């Protein structure tokens, strides 16, 4: 029973975090789930699209999870 309660609380927490940071996550933006966000995929999040050039540190035209995580780090400050 307490295991399920813990799980439920964990899900609630994750949901609240998702709401607090906006509904977009790397997984939702990465529409084709290839592990990279293209400029086209970034268009679903206007703020991300604007920041794309700055986030794409290696300039390959894709955002990896590592590059994208800079967004989440910035949101916390
Ligand atoms: Ca993708
Ligand atoms: Ca890149």
């Amino acid at each position: 029973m307490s295991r399920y309660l813990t799980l439920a609380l964990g899900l609630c927490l994750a949901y609240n975090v998702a709401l607090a940071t906006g509904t977009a996550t790397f997984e939702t933006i990465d529409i084709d789930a290839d592990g990279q966000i293209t400029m086209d995929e970034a268009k679903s999040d206007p703020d991300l699209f604007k920041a794309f050039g700055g986030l794409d540190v290696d300039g390959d035209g894709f955002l990896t999870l590592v590059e994208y995580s800079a967004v989440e780090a910035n949101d916390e400050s």
Side-chain angles (χ1 to χ4, degrees), residues 21-76:
T21 57
T23 50
T25 65
F26 188 88
E27 287 75 18
T28 59
I29 297 168
D30 182 18
I31 295 162
D32 61 4
D34 66 349
Q36 304 184 112
I37 295 174
T38 62
M39 198 84 95
D40 263 354
E41 289 170 335
K43 283 177 186 165
S44 66
D45 183 335
D47 288 337
L48 178 64
F49 186 67
K50 266 186 269 175
F52 195 97
L55 290 170
D56 183 16
V57 178
D58 60 6
D60 65 354
F62 300 97
L63 293 186
T64 61
L65 184 55
V66 173
E67 289 169 332
Y68 178 78
S69 64
V71 176
E72 289 166 344
N74 283 342
D75 279 352
E76 282 166 20

Side-chain angles (χ1 to χ4, degrees), residues 9-24:
L9 283 173
L11 286 174
C12 281
L13 199 65
Y15 184 66
N16 283 337
V17 168
L19 284 183
T21 57
T23 50

